[in-house]
Amino acid sequence: MGALQATVLLCLVLLHLCSSILAQDEDWKTATATYSKETDGSIITEGACGYGDLHKISYGKYSAGLSRILFNRGSTCGACYELRCVDHILWCLQGSPSIILTATDFCPPNFGLSADYGGWCNFPKEHFEMSEAAFAEIAKKKADIVPVQYRRVKCDRTGGLRFTMSGSSHFYEVLITNVGSDGEVVAVKVKGSKTGWIPMTRNWGQIWQSNANLQGQPLSFEVTVSSGKTLASYNVAPSKWQFGQTFEGKQF
């Protein structure tokens, strides 16, 4: 190979690498982040997605409340975001380390305050409210608010999807947690031993509802995430399932 050909080849390789890097960087979007100083606040113990105690379902401190434009009426509950503090030499940790957060809560607006001071979650601001422990992994806790970059990433979960039963004799609900892949559930169907596949409706967050009488039947679930992937877990719950019980299915 001649010197000219080698030079051309090297340039093409470098151009490809630079294009790849730029394409990856384009995935990042800008937002802001704060943290909740309440150790028993909703970021850890409750949340607007219906998850309950986040430690019990393994989301724990890596949970986040999202502003309205990101929360999207609860449809993004369970989605995963990579977050890093940027462009603030005083508050961002050196090297801009990133963390992975799960959307578990809604950060409500405060229209009595300016969007630049206190009204962090006012529409159309893109904002993440984090736990204090998670915030400390990307920025100094003395900061009130920091600029961040974020991007959606795949959720890396241990074990299968979890289905927690609730409801009454008049309706049936299931809370779906530990969802891998996109993490964002957009459709659910349930099937008893005496029924076909029944579409469920979103009650709120990731709690899905059906008015069918499914007691005394083993239950199967079909879950679809935002990318369009669908996963069926057959006979997840035995015929003697009860409200309050949690069962594990397959994983994406």
Side-chain angles (χ1 to χ4, degrees):
M1 180 184 296
L4 179 59
Q5 290 177 310
T7 302
V8 171
L9 180 60
L10 178 59
C11 289
L12 290 174
V13 171
L14 291 174
L15 179 62
H16 175 73
L17 289 174
C18 290
S19 298
S20 299
I21 292 171
L22 289 173
Q24 291 174 0
D25 288 343
E26 288 175 354
D27 292 336
W28 292 95
K29 300 178 181 180
T30 59
T32 53
T34 52
Y35 68 89
S36 172
K37 296 181 181 180
E38 300 177 13
T39 56
D40 60 346
S42 66
I43 290 294
I44 299 300
T45 59
E46 297 176 10
C49 293
Y51 292 137
D53 189 329
L54 299 177
H55 288 296
K56 290 183 179 180
I57 61 171
S58 75
Y59 296 158
K61 69 178 183 179
Y62 296 107
S63 305
L66 275 57
S67 60
R68 179 182 174 185
I69 195 169
L70 293 173
F71 190 68
N72 196 22
R73 298 184 178 181
S75 68
T76 52
C77 288
C80 293
Y81 295 86
E82 184 178 9
L83 209 72
R84 63 188 183 189
C85 181
V86 295
D87 301 331
H88 204 303
I89 192 171
L90 184 61
W91 300 129
C92 296
L93 296 188
Q94 188 174 3
S96 293
S98 67
I99 57 173
I100 306 297
L101 301 173
T102 299
T104 60
D105 200 2
F106 173 58
C107 181
N110 187 342
F111 296 116
L113 296 175
S114 165
D116 296 325
Y117 188 80
W120 319 127
C121 293
N122 292 352
F123 187 83
K125 297 280 287 185
E126 297 184 21
H127 185 81
F128 294 82
E129 185 181 10
M130 306 163 57
S131 71
E132 184 174 357
F135 186 89
E137 294 188 21
I138 64 168
K140 297 177 182 178
K141 290 192 290 184
K142 291 182 180 180
D144 289 329
I145 182 171
V146 294
V148 297
Q149 289 181 333
Y150 75 94
R151 61 183 175 184
R152 282 284 297 270
V153 293
K154 299 297 184 183
C155 299
D156 184 15
R157 306 297 189 203
T158 300
L161 274 64
R162 296 177 191 143
F163 303 89
T164 301
M165 315 299 187
S166 63
S168 69
S169 57
H170 302 292
F171 65 94
Y172 161 76
E173 292 180 339
V174 60
L175 167 65
I176 303 176
T177 59
N178 203 50
V179 182
S181 186
D182 304 352
E184 180 184 350
V185 177
V186 297
V188 179
K189 293 181 181 179
V190 62
K191 181 182 182 301
S193 57
K194 301 176 183 178
T195 73
W197 286 106
I198 303 171
M200 303 185 76
T201 57
R202 187 192 302 273
N203 188 311
W204 60 285
Q206 285 302 348
I207 296 178
W208 296 77
Q209 177 180 319
S210 171
N211 293 325
N213 183 2
L214 298 168
Q215 290 185 322
Q217 303 177 54
L219 301 181
S220 304
F221 294 96
E222 183 183 274
V223 176
T224 302
V225 292
S226 57
S227 66
K229 294 180 181 178
T230 297
L231 178 68
S233 297
Y234 292 95
N235 299 318
V236 171
S239 58
K240 295 183 179 180
W241 63 266
Q242 297 180 357
F243 294 131
Q245 290 183 311
T246 299
F247 302 96
E248 188 169 321
K250 295 180 180 179
Q251 184 58 269
F252 284 96

